[in-house]
Amino acid sequence: MGERNKRKIGGRYEDLAAAYLREQGYEILERNYRDRLGEIDVIAREAGYLVFVEVKYRKDQRSGYPEEAVFGRKQQKIRHTASYYLYRHGYGEETPCRFDVVSITGEEKILLIKDAF
């Protein structure tokens, strides 16, 4: 599968995740935030938190659950990107933040994991 096709598929599921997050009361601030350190799929506000959301999709569980792909190095990269986002946008150290994961499998089954790491 080519990179362009992966982006198209990823965009579709990020759209689905953003719509789901809105239904759950999240205010979407940014999507596909990119900087020199990495990318964050969705940045939102929810229940007094600034939330950095990673969206993962898997057609089926043969390769494991989507949320299992957000581990170690991936978490570290998201944390560094989030720190840089906070700095660039003037948020102070006291800003309450958390990291959520939206896991999408098969026929659009969605699982929201709050405070995933």
Side-chain angles (χ1 to χ4, degrees):
M1 181 181 308
E3 187 64 31
R4 185 183 193 122
N5 199 24
K6 280 185 181 181
R7 282 192 194 276
K8 185 176 178 183
I9 291 169
R12 175 173 171 240
Y13 289 104
E14 287 172 9
D15 289 347
L16 186 67
Y20 180 81
L21 291 169
R22 280 189 203 95
E23 290 172 8
Q24 302 305 308
Y26 286 62
E27 175 191 354
I28 307 299
L29 303 177
E30 293 201 40
R31 293 190 44 201
N32 298 309
Y33 171 79
R34 294 177 196 274
D35 65 31
R36 59 189 180 87
L37 298 174
E39 178 200 353
I40 297 176
D41 295 327
V42 178
I43 300 172
R45 287 194 185 285
E46 195 269 337
Y49 285 87
L50 186 60
V51 186
F52 300 94
V53 183
E54 178 69 9
V55 178
K56 285 293 180 194
Y57 166 76
R58 294 285 182 272
K59 181 172 51 175
D60 53 44
Q61 282 83 37
R62 278 185 283 178
S63 300
Y65 291 97
E67 62 272 20
E68 294 173 340
V70 186
F71 60 92
R73 190 172 294 197
K74 181 70 172 173
Q75 289 179 9
Q76 184 178 20
K77 192 169 192 172
I78 293 168
R79 281 190 188 103
H80 286 174
T81 306
S83 291
Y84 191 66
Y85 177 88
L86 292 168
Y87 167 76
R88 294 273 310 192
H89 290 81
Y91 288 96
E93 290 182 15
E94 72 286 348
T95 303
C97 299
R98 74 169 194 255
F99 299 91
D100 293 0
V101 172
V102 173
S103 169
I104 304 173
T105 54
E107 295 303 313
E108 303 177 356
K109 180 180 174 194
I110 299 174
L111 173 65
L112 170 61
I113 305 166
K114 291 186 175 186
D115 204 14
F117 58 93

